[in-house]
Amino acid sequence: MDIERRLFYDTTLLSVERPGRYLGREWNVTVKPEQDIRYTVALAFPDVYEVGMSHLGLRILYGLLNALPGVQAERVFVPWPDMGRKMKEMGIPLFSLERKKPVASFDLLGISLQHELSYTSVLYLLDLARIPLRQSERDERFPLVLGGGPCAVNPEPLAPFFDAFFIGEAEEVLGDIVMALVEMKGQRKDVLLEELSRFPGVYVPSLPPRQPVRRQVVKDLEHAFFPSKTVVPYVEIIHDRVAVEIARGCTRGCRFCQAGMIYRPKRERTPERVIELALELLRSSGYGEVSLLSLSSSDYSRIEELVEELSRLLEPYRVNVSLPSLRMDTFSVRLAQSLRRVRKSTLTFAPEAGTERLRNIINKGLQDEEILKAAESAFSASWQEIKLYFMIGLPFEEEEDIRGIGRLVGEILRVGKSLKKNARVHLSIAAFVPKPHTPFQWVPQDRKEALEEKIRLLRDFFRPLRSQVRYHWSSFEMSQIEALLARGDRRLANVLLRVYYKGGVLEGWQEHFLMQRWGESLEEEGLDLSWYLYRSRSFSEVFPWEHISCGVSKAFLWEEYQRARQGLPSPPCALKNCTRCGVCGSGEVSLSDTAL
């Protein structure tokens, strides 16, 4: 009896939480006739359905691969623990949603690596699929396992489990890679890996890299592949809307932000192309909201024009337009009013730090006056609540910076009151995590005890404002493990295995995370958490990820770190004011330019 019949006839799905996660057959899925399929790709997201289906990158790759002749791409997600237990009890291997085929029967398994806390779920995924966890234990009977996504810029903690990693943006290269594999189907695994290693952006951990593997970049976003249809889930997902990417990359150069460094240079789609894509996707899906995505949506060069025109077109149909990532220094009354025509949800901004001094250190480049002006624009356009993102534990942070968060929120509330608004603020507070390929890759992370003291200060400050201020903060222990894996080396692979065998699955969900598992596993492997987290690095230290090049030179990152230590901001990236980061291939910072 096949997997689909067993799921339904044995009433398995009636006994688990949210059975819609496992149904498949959604609107706009792609299933090709069997006789037309030469090569199969399982696109796996190491988290549950509603998280994975919210990720735009997965949707792009799904459309791109299924547009290739003879290639069938299907989606795979990690089951919730109740379903995972049922599958093991009934002997059901992990399966794809489209055709309910065992993942181990596919030719290629591509796993998206979006967050470090999903690493044990990668092992869970392989285990449920009955695929040996270690690359060295797999032969031609199993699919090639390829990893990609932002976490692939330091692949070493996961290296023993993958055949290869693709570093960078896949739209221009992945199709060629898959079509080459189609033609080589049936070859020995070592032959396939050798051929894979010759493609730009591909890192094969079992082979010595010929040179630094350079991250691949889509040069022309306007004409890059983007799907005109999107799969419409049966169950509500986290970002349950149409999403159109209006720009990729960011000019700002925030020193804590890995995405702002590795997605350079900034590229944009024209408003005409964005509107064309948005209307196509809305017509094919029936969604009631379109989200305009980029690292900083309000930095898009024609944002007001785009939002006004799209809002005008969609207002008769009551379709919302949302901008999930807004900078306060480019937010205007005009933009607020355009959004208000169709959008009713909360506006979200990210000041990140409570004082101008610390915002200069992290190169956020926001003045208090600009923050208050943005708040005034939002409240004037009839918003009652705005959401603000802050980080604590930033490099060179002082107690005054923490108190500054409270004072800034108080000023924002006073702006709302002056406009006779019942203004409210929702705060989201996260611990700073140092990431590879950023100017702060050299700095230590704050200890948990210090972070807890900073939260205590904020709670005391906001206690009198409890009716106007909501706040929550991320788990500091989870932030520790995120930092451990972000800057970790290949020795952590054994730690990951130990955590997984101790029950560590879906560690990105707070209810499933257990710090004790990590502490025990590190101790059993003879590794010291403090060595990974709480020490400063020197320029001469060789990082585990230095064989991966994201285009931004190490010398440039070091210079930015030195400017941060001096409290000096740097100008935004622009052709007329080049910051010499190296991405564009000219004007790189040299070691002689930096103070070592």
Side-chain angles (χ1 to χ4, degrees), residues 198-254:
R198 300 179 189 279
F199 279 91
V202 174
Y203 169 51
V204 178
S206 61
L207 298 175
R210 297 180 175 87
Q211 55 189 355
V213 179
R214 189 173 178 96
R215 187 178 184 278
Q216 297 301 291
V217 173
V218 171
K219 297 179 178 63
D220 181 6
L221 194 64
E222 176 78 355
H223 298 101
F225 177 86
F226 200 88
S228 59
K229 296 193 301 183
T230 187
V231 176
V232 182
Y234 292 130
V235 298
E236 185 178 2
I237 61 177
I238 292 176
H239 301 303
D240 210 8
R241 59 185 74 99
V242 158
V244 179
E245 187 182 30
I246 62 175
R248 193 174 294 179
C250 180
T251 66
R252 297 289 181 158
C254 295

Side-chain angles (χ1 to χ4, degrees), residues 517-546:
R517 281 193 289 252
W518 292 93
E520 290 174 353
S521 299
L522 284 161
E523 184 177 351
E524 289 162 4
E525 286 297 319
L527 298 176
D528 182 5
L529 185 68
S530 296
W531 186 85
Y532 285 97
L533 299 188
Y534 305 134
R535 65 183 182 87
S536 297
R537 276 79 166 163
S538 67
F539 182 85
S540 60
E541 180 166 340
V542 177
F543 293 128
W545 53 89
E546 291 207 13

Side-chain angles (χ1 to χ4, degrees), residues 66 73 88 117 144 146 149 153 204 218 256 263 284 303 335 353-355 384-385 392 439 469 476 510 527 529 549-550:
N66 278 315
K88 287 189 174 182
L117 288 174
L144 285 174
L146 176 68
V153 298
V204 178
V218 171
F256 61 86
Y263 284 100
S284 68
I303 189 63
L335 181 56
T355 63
Q384 297 295 320
E385 181 176 82
I392 60 174
V469 178
F476 299 144
Q510 193 159 349
L527 298 176
L529 185 68
S549 170
C550 289

